[in-house]
Amino acid sequence: MFKWKKESKSQEVFKAHSLYIDELKEQLKNELLYSDITFRHLKKNGNRIVFCFLESLIDKSSLDEFILAPIQNNEKIEWSVQGFTQVLPLSVLTVTNQLSEIISGLIEGNVYIYVEGDPYGLLTNLSKTVERGVEKPETESNVYGPKISFTESLVSNMNILRNNLKDPNLCMQDLVVGKRVKTKAKLVYIQGIADEELVTTFKQRISELEIDYVPGNTVLGHLIENNSWSVFPQLMTTELPDRISIALYRGKVAVLMDRSPDCLYGPTTFFSYFESTEDVYMRWNMGLFLRVLRLTALFLSVLLTPAYVAVLTYHYEVIPSPMLVTLGESRSKVPFPPVFETLLLEFVIELLREAGARLPTKVGQTIGIVGGIVIGQAAVQAGFTSNILIIMIALSALGSFTTPSYLMGTAIRMIRFPIIIIAGIWGGIGIMVAFCFFIIHLLRLETLGKPYLSPVYPLQWRDLGYSFFLVPYQYLAKRPQTNKPVDKERFSEKKAKLKKDIDE
Amino acid sequence: MEVNVKPRDGLQLHAFLLIFIVHSTQIGVGLVGLPRIVYLDAGHDGWISVFLAGVLGGVSLWFMVKMLGQYDSADLYGIHADVFGKWIGNFLSLMYMGYLAAAFFVIYINYIEIVQVWIFPNLPTWQLGLVLTLLSAYAVYGGIRVVVGTAFLSVMGTLWMVFVLFVPLKHSEINHIFPILDADIEQILKGAHNSSLSMMGMELVLFVYPYIKEKQKTQIFSQIGNAYTAFIFTLVTFVSIIYYAGGSLEQTIWPVISLFKIVRLPNLERFEIIAVSFWMLIIVPNLCIYLWAASKGFSRIFAGKQKWGLWILVSLIFVSSFFVKARYQMNLISDIIGKFGFYAAVCYPILLYFIVSAKNKYFRGKNNHAKGS
């Protein structure tokens, strides 16, 4: 039975439409139920032409100008496919009679031109897409660097990338994402730098997706990840074209998808989520400072509040006595155990963040002030929390916001909650249990078949200069080994390290 | 059973990781009580004993790698099968698996005891036991890559602890070690022998060897790992001996943890609590690697799945932790495993080396170097 179904499907695919216009109209209407399909007729000497299109998708003025006008004005030409190709001022014309091809063409904004009785008709693209102009990046804003971001249009995104990288080896392979809704996508990489295996892995994972509809590149990323249970994102999306340009020359592979304002790329290891493009534009030592700051913030953000809980619940002997007095005073009015106190305040911070993110920008700022000052101050005075905890919570929230990737920042904030709870149960031992668990978990993760913790483990000395620390340019002669680039050298290392003698 | 293991490309490890494998396996709970144990035998010459134990470990390691070098890419299970045949070989492999599991058990039970004594007196053994076994099972599930990764990160993450030793050094009295060589040879050797529980770990090379990419570098890197361990152990013993007055070292069961007590930062005191918690990072790779090697036996000897072996071992170990209740039982077990470990990790590989060499010499004509049999 299954086989029979398959056969009937394949028969359906190769089906020519009817030669009579009225029947053709019926066929099209049956396939495109309740759509805005429109027909325009012309008659001459008993010959009839029909133009079929979806009204909402095509540019009507070009229809008038490039199709109707030439046909109506040229009295002499023969009304047939050959005749039309002579007069229509359009670069791409497709000859077809397949119903399925016409349907998918119409959906993409094509016009189908058919003369009654002819074996074939003409399909031509007059689509008009609604898109916004190129704007400044909003979610990943930078102080330095180009102020341009991707938009929803695949063509303009490709245009930006091609203009950034005028390199004949820049490849953009066609991909189709989704089974019902076939979204166009492009696999972008540099031939001769990107690892062939990486390109195939990426392509294979996308083309093997058996899903009806993929709403965007972020979702595509979730769908092709190795481990979908983990909180940590394993493929990164960005709205910055320059970030992609830099990544491509480090041997990474990117995916652009139509109607998606961000670009997916990989392999992205754990530490690459703490890279900002700004680090590249800064002088290396400032960049290094910022990078180290962010990694410190990561540890503070994850471990500070759990440490507070652990110390105050079980190990208060760890705190020197002068400090213990202040802490005790500050906590003397608080009736809850530290775990509850901390969870409560963390919850408030998360609420503030979420409310700020959901509301329009102007209101969002007010919410921040209301939350920060009023709730914080009032909570302390009401004896809900201690002052010191407020400082810690603020520090750890700030720490998590320094992460350039919003997804990774959210992951960091999320893992804090289980750590706080386990710190409330087992103190320092609990924190270490959680710490060991996350280390093992991160070691187990992979991004497109590459180890997630690279370049720290497996250790790649040279890559540390890219993702963990920053070093002066002359030491970055080799592309990151993690991506296994084909062309390993960016420039000649020997030349870069040549040193002149004194007074030479 | 195949004598040689041919892991696929992605599973192969760089030889330099052997430093971390060997070192992180050797460092463990044993170190915590080591200075006292050698002090009981060798007095203030204990650090010489520890150093000797390190040298002895190096010698044994040398023989191990030499023995492994006679094969393409074999592990101990394969060598057993090759040398002793199916039945005896598998029996010996099973014994060794038992030893590995027991080593896991000793580390695990000792660490839980330390936690109970220093931080949570009322913490039931099974709770922390369950978490530790599950953690190590989770790591072993990820395969050799993850297991070695934990070893690597643990060594990197605990490097700073060495520098903490400078703090007690300020309060110490160097005259405590004089006169050098006060103890006689027999006492020093006895101390060296008794520190073998802490020195165990280099035998894991016998199991990791097939996964090393550049096999000719195995010797040098595993020796570096062992030397580093010997250095740290000797240093720790040395510092303990000059820090504690003679009598108090005898009475301090975990002198190394007590060493941390003196550390004082502007915002932290009683550093030993942090040290005991942090010690878990040292323990976990230990547990993982023993569990990995032991469970590997299931797929090598019985041609079963390593996963099943892993769960059998984990549940056995977890259940047996219920039977250890008192301190003296734990001491007894640690002593037995320590003695056994001395023979299994130090003496047995040397013996096996001679058997393998003799066999290869004898059969060279017939069997072409015992490769691929």
Side-chain angles (χ1 to χ4, degrees), chain A residues 47-108:
Chain A
N47 274 356
R48 281 172 78 201
I49 312 183
V50 67
F51 302 88
C52 323
F53 50 88
L54 290 180
E55 206 180 347
S56 55
L57 279 183
I58 65 145
D59 185 7
K60 267 185 222 145
S61 59
S62 8
L63 176 68
D64 300 342
E65 190 180 341
F66 302 126
I67 294 182
L68 288 179
I71 291 176
Q72 283 173 330
N73 293 346
N74 284 297
E75 295 279 318
K76 290 171 203 160
I77 59 145
E78 183 194 354
W79 277 16
S80 70
V81 169
Q82 279 81 14
F84 291 154
T85 49
Q86 302 298 320
V87 289
L88 293 186
L90 292 162
S91 53
V92 183
L93 289 168
T94 318
V95 178
T96 184
N97 68 348
Q98 295 299 317
L99 199 57
S100 59
E101 207 174 316
I102 295 165
I103 300 284
S104 55
L106 290 182
I107 292 175
E108 283 168 20

Side-chain angles (χ1 to χ4, degrees), chain A residues 350-367:
Chain A
E350 284 302 294
L351 274 185
L352 278 174
R353 187 197 53 74
E354 186 63 15
R358 296 291 148 250
L359 283 168
T361 337
K362 284 169 193 162
V363 193
Q365 279 177 352
T366 347
I367 289 282

